[in-house]
Each structure stands twice: as C-alpha cells, then as structure tokens.
Amino acid sequence: MTEQSDQVDWIKQARWVVDGKFYTSSGVTAGMDMALGFIADRQGRDNAKEVAVYTEYCWQEDSRLDDFYNS
C-alpha cells in the first residue's frame, strides 16, 4: 500500500485500523474481529462479546495484536 501513495499510514502489526469513519482489516478473520470492534465502538463491548459468543467466534479484541504478523 505504501508504494501506491505516500499518504498511506501503514501500521504493520495491526489486525484492523480505525481512521475516522473508515475501518480496514488485514484479512478475513481480522475482518471478523474488526466487525466486532465496530459493534463495540457503536453499541458497547458487552454487545460485541455477546455476538462473538452467539456466533461461536473467539474474538481478538486488541486491534494491535495480529498473531499472523511476520516482521
């Protein structure tokens, strides 16, 4: 992405990033984590946790931690 524009603020080890009204993720399951993060931002963490339990999904709540990041 940084090769496409010098205005990209790339955060290497981020599972998802919130930039104003925009949410972006680093992959498919990261997108699921991001969606739960969005729910937490808009409707509270308890609601996001309830959705995660209901969908039997183990939510990585910390957007800065990506177990699949390769330095």
Side-chain angles (χ1 to χ4, degrees), residues 25 27-37 57 59:
S25 70
V28 175
T29 57
M32 294 166 67
D33 292 333
M34 178 193 72
L36 290 164
Y57 183 72
W59 178 26

Side-chain angles (χ1 to χ4, degrees), residues 53-65:
V53 168
Y54 181 77
T55 58
E56 299 178 348
Y57 183 72
C58 185
W59 178 26
Q60 170 51 270
E61 295 182 50
D62 190 341
S63 66
R64 299 166 298 172
L65 297 178

Side-chain angles (χ1 to χ4, degrees), residues 4-69:
Q4 300 295 318
S5 171
D6 61 356
Q7 296 183 18
V8 173
D9 183 16
W10 188 260
I11 302 171
K12 289 183 179 181
Q13 190 175 348
R15 192 127 175 92
W16 76 90
V17 175
V18 180
D19 184 10
K21 67 178 184 176
F22 298 102
Y23 284 64
T24 57
S25 70
S26 63
V28 175
T29 57
M32 294 166 67
D33 292 333
M34 178 193 72
L36 290 164
F38 178 83
I39 292 169
D41 289 348
R42 298 297 191 266
Q43 297 183 355
R45 188 165 300 281
D46 288 343
N47 283 335
K49 286 182 179 182
E50 187 177 318
V51 171
V53 168
Y54 181 77
T55 58
E56 299 178 348
Y57 183 72
C58 185
W59 178 26
Q60 170 51 270
E61 295 182 50
D62 190 341
S63 66
R64 299 166 298 172
L65 297 178
D66 190 345
D67 295 334
F68 302 99
Y69 169 75

